[in-house]
Amino acid sequence: MKKLIRNGTIITASEYCRADLLIEDGKIACIGTNIGDEADVKIDAQDKLIFPGGIDAHVHMNVPCSDGSVSAGYDTETMAAAIGGTTTILDYVLQEYGKSMQESIDGASALAVNQAAVDYGFHVIVTNPDAQTIAEIEDLIPSGITSFKLFMANDLALDDQQLLKFMEELARLGGLACVHAENGAIIAYLQNKHRQKKQLEPYYHFQSRPLSSENEAINRAITLAKTADCAMLVAHVSNLEGVKIITGARASTPIYIESCPHYLVLDDEEYGQGEFTTAKYVISPPLRSKEEKEKLWVGIKNKAIDIISSDHNGFNYATHKQLGKEDYTRIPNGGPGIEQRFTLMYHALTERGIDLSRFVDLIATKPAKIFGLFPQKGTIAPGSDADLVIFDPELEWTITAKEQQQASDYTPYEGLRMKGGVAKVLLRGEVIVDAGKYVGKPGDGKFIARQTLRSQNGKV
Ligand SMILES: [Zn+2]
């Protein structure tokens, strides 16, 4: 089966070119201006941009809540990813209480195999870093699960010795540590203070997680990663000072920076005192001030920030978020964004006059490189999977919860006007989104075994 996409403008992390693109057996066969006209299917991309499919390296599916319910799963959320221009997701699978990492992966895998509308891989959130769990790393890495999330705060926090021990083993085997960097002690101290004063509304979530807490933990994570000589990605960095701490430390050990759309387009004005709707924005780290948001753009412009991920959690306001009605510390942390990440970042970057190659690097190419998917994913080149977004730069639309595909009953981006939108999405050469509608088949998404940075020769 041959497909020809004609007359589009192809944009990669390094160049723009007006060319035709031939797809054969799900892969990009050739790109050029004179590649003939023979194909079973022809797609006209006149006046459209062609991007590599988005890679969202930080999403959470089926997150357990305190009442036994779970957040939205692969069925609705991977379809939402597809509609939004994302063709590969990396899900943070929680190591369940009393289970091995492998058993937890098996549980996620059994769901994804029948439900996933886009390709997927897994990281593990390590909750029990005992000797048995550490021994599992050696088996998981060759099976394509090469990155592991280590929490420094919240219920899942590991202490410094546990972090160091885990990082040492990752370093030995070429794995990547992804850290949630916040200082658990500062947060617990402030939460207790709030509790004593009966300050339990969601506004105080934001008050309990200051910049200092994030940046202290970033510093400590770097110290630990350097001690263990372990490659690390600092997840969801929310502020420029944090970015600078990391860039200043990068020389000897590879340390990567992830940020998220919400830190770049929203700010702490969402945190109204006395309003429970603030619970929609209970995420960690929290949104920062308007000034901090503006400063964070420096890290986008100067290329210090490597990747942008959604940190998607498909929670509902009417159910999940209400669990913290009496006490903000019980509000599930996180919000939905898998569907909006791609276009939101396209819109925000073009509005600020930032080059589209930078956009591609942040949302597809660099995530593919850091997480061992490159060059199969993350670029448009002969031999790569034909994961493509045909994008209409003139399409104007508004983000609303009512019209989104993702299951949540709200979006943090309600009412934002977008210029530019997804027209078609191809996953390994098959059209899975057409005119904004999902036209694929759940289960079309495949598990992608990932390489380590080392097997990629450390090239990022
Ligand atoms: Zn997360």
Side-chain angles (χ1 to χ4, degrees), residues 58-60 92 149 151 180 235-236 284 311-313:
H58 187 159
V59 306
H60 300 269
Y92 276 103
K149 176 96 160 268
F151 272 79
H180 177 119
H236 45 53
S284 299
D311 196 1
H312 174 85
N313 280 276

Side-chain angles (χ1 to χ4, degrees), residues 72-90:
Y74 300 104
D75 47 354
T76 50
E77 308 308 80
T78 59
M79 233 182 257
I83 286 172
T86 289
T87 51
T88 303
I89 59 161
L90 299 180

Side-chain angles (χ1 to χ4, degrees), residues 27 40 59 77 89 128 150 165 185 216 238 241 245 296 317 339 346 350 362 380 389 402 422:
K27 301 223 176 256
D40 307 291
V59 306
E77 308 308 80
I89 59 161
N128 176 23
L150 308 172
K165 192 160 186 200
E216 184 285 326
S238 76
E241 182 60 29
I245 294 168
L296 189 58
Y317 175 66
E339 185 169 345
Y346 169 88
T350 48
L362 284 165
I380 301 178
V389 175
K402 207 165 155 253
V422 171

Side-chain angles (χ1 to χ4, degrees), residues 25 35 106 111 115 202 205 212 223 264 310:
D25 301 326
I35 58 177
D106 291 346
L111 295 172
Q115 298 180 350
H205 167 82
S212 55
T223 304
L264 292 158
S310 67

